[in-house]
Amino acid sequence: NLQGWLDKVAPLIQVKLEGPLRMNVESLDIIGNKAVIEASGSATQKNGNPYENLYCWIMTFGDETGKAVAIKEYMNTALVKEVIETNPI
């Protein structure tokens, strides 16, 4: 869920960046009960290198509630690993 991601995953990368991660939605497509969001994120790492990643989220919404019931996220996880390993806290 989103709160779990915010609590457990986001802090791992955010502490390795100089400022906030700036996100930009590149495209948004709605197909039936699914939304496909392509986004880019950029920031400066604590070591001075740029952090530029691409993201894709596929969200499935419940027919009766209209609320998100599943989210799949795709990104360059090798880049995230590199940022975590090469930047001081």
mmCIF file of all heavy atoms in Angstrom, residues 42-78:
data_model
loop_
_atom_site.group_PDB
_atom_site.id
_atom_site.type_symbol
_atom_site.label_atom_id
_atom_site.label_comp_id
_atom_site.label_asym_id
_atom_site.label_seq_id
_atom_site.Cartn_x
_atom_site.Cartn_y
_atom_site.Cartn_z
ATOM 1 N N SER A 42 13.795 13.443 -10.585
ATOM 2 C CA SER A 42 15.162 13.947 -10.596
ATOM 3 C C SER A 42 15.487 14.638 -9.284
ATOM 4 O O SER A 42 14.615 15.183 -8.616
ATOM 5 C CB SER A 42 15.378 14.907 -11.770
ATOM 6 O OG SER A 42 14.543 16.033 -11.649
ATOM 7 N N ALA A 43 16.769 14.581 -8.939
ATOM 8 C CA ALA A 43 17.282 15.227 -7.732
ATOM 9 C C ALA A 43 18.806 15.205 -7.830
ATOM 10 O O ALA A 43 19.370 14.626 -8.760
ATOM 11 C CB ALA A 43 16.821 14.492 -6.476
ATOM 12 N N THR A 44 19.457 15.822 -6.866
ATOM 13 C CA THR A 44 20.907 15.758 -6.762
ATOM 14 C C THR A 44 21.252 14.852 -5.588
ATOM 15 O O THR A 44 20.714 15.013 -4.491
ATOM 16 C CB THR A 44 21.510 17.155 -6.535
ATOM 17 O OG1 THR A 44 21.149 17.993 -7.636
ATOM 18 C CG2 THR A 44 23.027 17.091 -6.415
ATOM 19 N N GLN A 45 22.133 13.894 -5.841
ATOM 20 C CA GLN A 45 22.573 12.999 -4.786
ATOM 21 C C GLN A 45 23.517 13.746 -3.833
ATOM 22 O O GLN A 45 24.098 14.759 -4.189
ATOM 23 C CB GLN A 45 23.326 11.808 -5.380
ATOM 24 C CG GLN A 45 22.507 10.970 -6.333
ATOM 25 C CD GLN A 45 23.340 9.866 -6.935
ATOM 26 O OE1 GLN A 45 24.049 9.150 -6.234
ATOM 27 N NE2 GLN A 45 23.265 9.708 -8.251
ATOM 28 N N LYS A 46 23.675 13.228 -2.634
ATOM 29 C CA LYS A 46 24.583 13.858 -1.666
ATOM 30 C C LYS A 46 26.014 13.886 -2.168
ATOM 31 O O LYS A 46 26.790 14.752 -1.790
ATOM 32 C CB LYS A 46 24.496 13.148 -0.324
ATOM 33 C CG LYS A 46 23.150 13.374 0.338
ATOM 34 C CD LYS A 46 23.255 13.404 1.814
ATOM 35 C CE LYS A 46 21.880 13.794 2.342
ATOM 36 N NZ LYS A 46 21.876 13.998 3.741
ATOM 37 N N ASN A 47 26.387 12.947 -3.060
ATOM 38 C CA ASN A 47 27.744 12.935 -3.605
ATOM 39 C C ASN A 47 27.898 13.901 -4.785
ATOM 40 O O ASN A 47 28.948 13.972 -5.408
ATOM 41 C CB ASN A 47 28.172 11.519 -4.005
ATOM 42 C CG ASN A 47 27.333 10.939 -5.130
ATOM 43 O OD1 ASN A 47 26.607 11.639 -5.823
ATOM 44 N ND2 ASN A 47 27.435 9.632 -5.306
ATOM 45 N N GLY A 48 26.839 14.648 -5.109
ATOM 46 C CA GLY A 48 26.875 15.646 -6.172
ATOM 47 C C GLY A 48 26.417 15.153 -7.530
ATOM 48 O O GLY A 48 26.192 15.947 -8.440
ATOM 49 N N ASN A 49 26.277 13.854 -7.691
ATOM 50 C CA ASN A 49 25.822 13.302 -8.971
ATOM 51 C C ASN A 49 24.317 13.491 -9.139
ATOM 52 O O ASN A 49 23.571 13.504 -8.167
ATOM 53 C CB ASN A 49 26.154 11.809 -9.060
ATOM 54 C CG ASN A 49 27.637 11.551 -9.150
ATOM 55 O OD1 ASN A 49 28.390 12.394 -9.630
ATOM 56 N ND2 ASN A 49 28.070 10.393 -8.683
ATOM 57 N N PRO A 50 23.861 13.599 -10.391
ATOM 58 C CA PRO A 50 22.418 13.700 -10.614
ATOM 59 C C PRO A 50 21.745 12.350 -10.384
ATOM 60 O O PRO A 50 22.355 11.300 -10.584
ATOM 61 C CB PRO A 50 22.316 14.119 -12.086
ATOM 62 C CG PRO A 50 23.571 13.634 -12.710
ATOM 63 C CD PRO A 50 24.626 13.692 -11.636
ATOM 64 N N TYR A 51 20.523 12.410 -9.919
ATOM 65 C CA TYR A 51 19.670 11.226 -9.830
ATOM 66 C C TYR A 51 18.521 11.476 -10.788
ATOM 67 O O TYR A 51 17.743 12.410 -10.615
ATOM 68 C CB TYR A 51 19.135 11.019 -8.414
ATOM 69 C CG TYR A 51 18.087 9.918 -8.332
ATOM 70 C CD1 TYR A 51 18.467 8.586 -8.332
ATOM 71 C CD2 TYR A 51 16.738 10.216 -8.285
ATOM 72 C CE1 TYR A 51 17.518 7.570 -8.276
ATOM 73 C CE2 TYR A 51 15.785 9.216 -8.222
ATOM 74 C CZ TYR A 51 16.187 7.885 -8.222
ATOM 75 O OH TYR A 51 15.253 6.896 -8.171
ATOM 76 N N GLU A 52 18.435 10.662 -11.825
ATOM 77 C CA GLU A 52 17.361 10.782 -12.806
ATOM 78 C C GLU A 52 16.842 9.379 -13.093
ATOM 79 O O GLU A 52 17.563 8.548 -13.646
ATOM 80 C CB GLU A 52 17.868 11.459 -14.081
ATOM 81 C CG GLU A 52 18.296 12.895 -13.828
ATOM 82 C CD GLU A 52 18.837 13.590 -15.068
ATOM 83 O OE1 GLU A 52 18.919 12.969 -16.136
ATOM 84 O OE2 GLU A 52 19.185 14.773 -14.942
ATOM 85 N N ASN A 53 15.629 9.139 -12.688
ATOM 86 C CA ASN A 53 15.044 7.821 -12.858
ATOM 87 C C ASN A 53 13.711 7.944 -13.590
ATOM 88 O O ASN A 53 13.071 9.002 -13.556
ATOM 89 C CB ASN A 53 14.845 7.141 -11.504
ATOM 90 C CG ASN A 53 14.943 5.624 -11.574
ATOM 91 O OD1 ASN A 53 14.798 5.035 -12.632
ATOM 92 N ND2 ASN A 53 15.197 5.010 -10.430
ATOM 93 N N LEU A 54 13.316 6.867 -14.243
ATOM 94 C CA LEU A 54 12.020 6.776 -14.912
ATOM 95 C C LEU A 54 11.166 5.774 -14.156
ATOM 96 O O LEU A 54 11.675 4.774 -13.659
ATOM 97 C CB LEU A 54 12.191 6.343 -16.366
ATOM 98 C CG LEU A 54 13.037 7.273 -17.234
ATOM 99 C CD1 LEU A 54 13.236 6.656 -18.615
ATOM 100 C CD2 LEU A 54 12.382 8.636 -17.343
ATOM 101 N N TYR A 55 9.887 6.058 -14.090
ATOM 102 C CA TYR A 55 8.956 5.214 -13.348
ATOM 103 C C TYR A 55 7.741 4.895 -14.203
ATOM 104 O O TYR A 55 7.330 5.692 -15.047
ATOM 105 C CB TYR A 55 8.449 5.936 -12.085
ATOM 106 C CG TYR A 55 9.546 6.416 -11.180
ATOM 107 C CD1 TYR A 55 10.154 7.659 -11.388
ATOM 108 C CD2 TYR A 55 9.973 5.646 -10.123
ATOM 109 C CE1 TYR A 55 11.170 8.103 -10.553
ATOM 110 C CE2 TYR A 55 10.990 6.084 -9.281
ATOM 111 C CZ TYR A 55 11.581 7.314 -9.511
ATOM 112 O OH TYR A 55 12.575 7.760 -8.699
ATOM 113 N N CYS A 56 7.156 3.733 -13.938
ATOM 114 C CA CYS A 56 5.871 3.388 -14.534
ATOM 115 C C CYS A 56 5.035 2.727 -13.449
ATOM 116 O O CYS A 56 5.497 1.803 -12.772
ATOM 117 C CB CYS A 56 6.048 2.425 -15.712
ATOM 118 S SG CYS A 56 4.471 1.940 -16.463
ATOM 119 N N TRP A 57 3.855 3.245 -13.241
ATOM 120 C CA TRP A 57 2.912 2.657 -12.290
ATOM 121 C C TRP A 57 1.685 2.193 -13.063
ATOM 122 O O TRP A 57 1.148 2.924 -13.898
ATOM 123 C CB TRP A 57 2.459 3.669 -11.234
ATOM 124 C CG TRP A 57 3.559 4.146 -10.340
ATOM 125 C CD1 TRP A 57 4.164 3.449 -9.338
ATOM 126 C CD2 TRP A 57 4.166 5.435 -10.370
ATOM 127 N NE1 TRP A 57 5.125 4.235 -8.740
ATOM 128 C CE2 TRP A 57 5.151 5.458 -9.356
ATOM 129 C CE3 TRP A 57 3.991 6.569 -11.151
ATOM 130 C CZ2 TRP A 57 5.940 6.565 -9.099
ATOM 131 C CZ3 TRP A 57 4.781 7.679 -10.902
ATOM 132 C CH2 TRP A 57 5.735 7.669 -9.886
ATOM 133 N N ILE A 58 1.252 0.986 -12.773
ATOM 134 C CA ILE A 58 0.004 0.461 -13.325
ATOM 135 C C ILE A 58 -0.927 0.255 -12.139
ATOM 136 O O ILE A 58 -0.646 -0.553 -11.253
ATOM 137 C CB ILE A 58 0.221 -0.853 -14.093
ATOM 138 C CG1 ILE A 58 1.211 -0.610 -15.229
ATOM 139 C CG2 ILE A 58 -1.110 -1.391 -14.612
ATOM 140 C CD1 ILE A 58 1.662 -1.863 -15.941
ATOM 141 N N MET A 59 -1.996 1.024 -12.134
ATOM 142 C CA MET A 59 -2.939 0.977 -11.016
ATOM 143 C C MET A 59 -4.247 0.362 -11.479
ATOM 144 O O MET A 59 -4.779 0.731 -12.527
ATOM 145 C CB MET A 59 -3.190 2.386 -10.484
ATOM 146 C CG MET A 59 -1.926 3.083 -10.024
ATOM 147 S SD MET A 59 -2.212 4.775 -9.465
ATOM 148 C CE MET A 59 -3.072 4.460 -7.929
ATOM 149 N N THR A 60 -4.751 -0.573 -10.691
ATOM 150 C CA THR A 60 -6.044 -1.196 -10.961
ATOM 151 C C THR A 60 -7.030 -0.709 -9.913
ATOM 152 O O THR A 60 -6.718 -0.705 -8.715
ATOM 153 C CB THR A 60 -5.936 -2.733 -10.901
ATOM 154 O OG1 THR A 60 -4.938 -3.162 -11.830
ATOM 155 C CG2 THR A 60 -7.263 -3.390 -11.253
ATOM 156 N N PHE A 61 -8.206 -0.287 -10.377
ATOM 157 C CA PHE A 61 -9.224 0.263 -9.490
ATOM 158 C C PHE A 61 -10.402 -0.698 -9.368
ATOM 159 O O PHE A 61 -10.787 -1.343 -10.345
ATOM 160 C CB PHE A 61 -9.706 1.619 -10.014
ATOM 161 C CG PHE A 61 -8.620 2.652 -10.013
ATOM 162 C CD1 PHE A 61 -7.779 2.805 -11.101
ATOM 163 C CD2 PHE A 61 -8.423 3.463 -8.906
ATOM 164 C CE1 PHE A 61 -6.754 3.742 -11.096
ATOM 165 C CE2 PHE A 61 -7.400 4.404 -8.886
ATOM 166 C CZ PHE A 61 -6.569 4.542 -9.980
ATOM 167 N N GLY A 62 -10.969 -0.768 -8.170
ATOM 168 C CA GLY A 62 -12.130 -1.617 -7.930
ATOM 169 C C GLY A 62 -13.350 -1.098 -8.670
ATOM 170 O O GLY A 62 -13.583 0.108 -8.735
ATOM 171 N N ASP A 63 -14.133 -2.012 -9.229
ATOM 172 C CA ASP A 63 -15.317 -1.627 -9.990
ATOM 173 C C ASP A 63 -16.361 -0.924 -9.130
ATOM 174 O O ASP A 63 -16.993 0.032 -9.568
ATOM 175 C CB ASP A 63 -15.946 -2.857 -10.658
ATOM 176 C CG ASP A 63 -15.072 -3.412 -11.769
ATOM 177 O OD1 ASP A 63 -14.339 -2.623 -12.413
ATOM 178 O OD2 ASP A 63 -15.118 -4.638 -11.999
ATOM 179 N N GLU A 64 -16.545 -1.375 -7.907
ATOM 180 C CA GLU A 64 -17.594 -0.811 -7.059
ATOM 181 C C GLU A 64 -17.135 0.408 -6.278
ATOM 182 O O GLU A 64 -17.903 1.351 -6.099
ATOM 183 C CB GLU A 64 -18.124 -1.886 -6.105
ATOM 184 C CG GLU A 64 -18.880 -2.987 -6.845
ATOM 185 C CD GLU A 64 -19.477 -4.008 -5.902
ATOM 186 O OE1 GLU A 64 -19.628 -3.708 -4.709
ATOM 187 O OE2 GLU A 64 -19.786 -5.105 -6.382
ATOM 188 N N THR A 65 -15.884 0.408 -5.814
ATOM 189 C CA THR A 65 -15.415 1.500 -4.949
ATOM 190 C C THR A 65 -14.698 2.601 -5.717
ATOM 191 O O THR A 65 -14.654 3.740 -5.263
ATOM 192 C CB THR A 65 -14.457 0.975 -3.876
ATOM 193 O OG1 THR A 65 -13.287 0.463 -4.531
ATOM 194 C CG2 THR A 65 -15.105 -0.108 -3.030
ATOM 195 N N GLY A 66 -14.102 2.258 -6.851
ATOM 196 C CA GLY A 66 -13.307 3.235 -7.589
ATOM 197 C C GLY A 66 -11.962 3.512 -6.937
ATOM 198 O O GLY A 66 -11.200 4.353 -7.393
ATOM 199 N N LYS A 67 -11.651 2.782 -5.866
ATOM 200 C CA LYS A 67 -10.376 2.960 -5.169
ATOM 201 C C LYS A 67 -9.341 1.994 -5.729
ATOM 202 O O LYS A 67 -9.679 0.918 -6.228
ATOM 203 C CB LYS A 67 -10.546 2.714 -3.673
ATOM 204 C CG LYS A 67 -11.424 3.743 -2.997
ATOM 205 C CD LYS A 67 -11.517 3.488 -1.514
ATOM 206 C CE LYS A 67 -12.378 4.554 -0.855
ATOM 207 N NZ LYS A 67 -12.449 4.358 0.596
ATOM 208 N N ALA A 68 -8.063 2.388 -5.608
ATOM 209 C CA ALA A 68 -6.977 1.524 -6.075
ATOM 210 C C ALA A 68 -6.959 0.235 -5.257
ATOM 211 O O ALA A 68 -6.985 0.272 -4.024
ATOM 212 C CB ALA A 68 -5.649 2.242 -5.969
ATOM 213 N N VAL A 69 -6.923 -0.897 -5.952
ATOM 214 C CA VAL A 69 -6.865 -2.196 -5.284
ATOM 215 C C VAL A 69 -5.532 -2.900 -5.550
ATOM 216 O O VAL A 69 -5.182 -3.855 -4.857
ATOM 217 C CB VAL A 69 -8.039 -3.103 -5.683
ATOM 218 C CG1 VAL A 69 -9.358 -2.508 -5.194
ATOM 219 C CG2 VAL A 69 -8.084 -3.339 -7.178
ATOM 220 N N ALA A 70 -4.784 -2.433 -6.554
ATOM 221 C CA ALA A 70 -3.469 -3.002 -6.854
ATOM 222 C C ALA A 70 -2.613 -1.953 -7.552
ATOM 223 O O ALA A 70 -3.123 -1.159 -8.347
ATOM 224 C CB ALA A 70 -3.605 -4.235 -7.736
ATOM 225 N N ILE A 71 -1.336 -1.961 -7.228
ATOM 226 C CA ILE A 71 -0.386 -1.044 -7.861
ATOM 227 C C ILE A 71 0.872 -1.834 -8.195
ATOM 228 O O ILE A 71 1.426 -2.524 -7.332
ATOM 229 C CB ILE A 71 -0.011 0.141 -6.948
ATOM 230 C CG1 ILE A 71 -1.250 0.941 -6.562
ATOM 231 C CG2 ILE A 71 1.018 1.038 -7.639
ATOM 232 C CD1 ILE A 71 -0.990 2.009 -5.516
ATOM 233 N N LYS A 72 1.315 -1.729 -9.443
ATOM 234 C CA LYS A 72 2.600 -2.293 -9.864
ATOM 235 C C LYS A 72 3.506 -1.125 -10.216
ATOM 236 O O LYS A 72 3.087 -0.198 -10.907
ATOM 237 C CB LYS A 72 2.437 -3.201 -11.078
ATOM 238 C CG LYS A 72 1.642 -4.452 -10.796
ATOM 239 C CD LYS A 72 1.533 -5.298 -12.040
ATOM 240 C CE LYS A 72 0.683 -6.521 -11.776
ATOM 241 N NZ LYS A 72 0.525 -7.334 -12.984
ATOM 242 N N GLU A 73 4.746 -1.178 -9.724
ATOM 243 C CA GLU A 73 5.692 -0.094 -9.971
ATOM 244 C C GLU A 73 6.927 -0.656 -10.659
ATOM 245 O O GLU A 73 7.452 -1.692 -10.259
ATOM 246 C CB GLU A 73 6.101 0.564 -8.654
ATOM 247 C CG GLU A 73 7.133 1.661 -8.837
ATOM 248 C CD GLU A 73 7.589 2.269 -7.533
ATOM 249 O OE1 GLU A 73 7.713 1.546 -6.529
ATOM 250 O OE2 GLU A 73 7.831 3.483 -7.514
ATOM 251 N N TYR A 74 7.377 0.059 -11.681
ATOM 252 C CA TYR A 74 8.589 -0.322 -12.399
ATOM 253 C C TYR A 74 9.518 0.883 -12.435
ATOM 254 O O TYR A 74 9.078 2.006 -12.644
ATOM 255 C CB TYR A 74 8.248 -0.759 -13.833
ATOM 256 C CG TYR A 74 7.295 -1.923 -13.864
ATOM 257 C CD1 TYR A 74 5.919 -1.715 -13.927
ATOM 258 C CD2 TYR A 74 7.766 -3.234 -13.796
ATOM 259 C CE1 TYR A 74 5.036 -2.786 -13.937
ATOM 260 C CE2 TYR A 74 6.886 -4.302 -13.801
ATOM 261 C CZ TYR A 74 5.525 -4.080 -13.873
ATOM 262 O OH TYR A 74 4.651 -5.129 -13.876
ATOM 263 N N MET A 75 10.822 0.632 -12.170
ATOM 264 C CA MET A 75 11.829 1.689 -12.211
ATOM 265 C C MET A 75 13.184 1.027 -12.353
ATOM 266 O O MET A 75 13.313 -0.191 -12.291
ATOM 267 C CB MET A 75 11.779 2.544 -10.953
ATOM 268 C CG MET A 75 12.272 1.824 -9.719
ATOM 269 S SD MET A 75 12.370 2.878 -8.306
ATOM 270 C CE MET A 75 11.165 2.097 -7.260
ATOM 271 N N ASN A 76 14.214 1.848 -12.510
ATOM 272 C CA ASN A 76 15.580 1.354 -12.596
ATOM 273 C C ASN A 76 16.079 1.073 -11.180
ATOM 274 O O ASN A 76 16.633 1.949 -10.524
ATOM 275 C CB ASN A 76 16.461 2.386 -13.309
ATOM 276 C CG ASN A 76 17.880 1.899 -13.483
ATOM 277 O OD1 ASN A 76 18.313 0.936 -12.879
ATOM 278 N ND2 ASN A 76 18.623 2.604 -14.320
ATOM 279 N N THR A 77 15.885 -0.153 -10.713
ATOM 280 C CA THR A 77 16.266 -0.493 -9.344
ATOM 281 C C THR A 77 17.785 -0.558 -9.177
ATOM 282 O O THR A 77 18.287 -0.356 -8.072
ATOM 283 C CB THR A 77 15.626 -1.822 -8.909
ATOM 284 O OG1 THR A 77 15.967 -2.840 -9.860
ATOM 285 C CG2 THR A 77 14.113 -1.687 -8.818
ATOM 286 N N ALA A 78 18.531 -0.821 -10.260
ATOM 287 C CA ALA A 78 19.996 -0.814 -10.171
ATOM 288 C C ALA A 78 20.484 0.594 -9.824
ATOM 289 O O ALA A 78 21.439 0.754 -9.048
ATOM 290 C CB ALA A 78 20.614 -1.299 -11.478
#
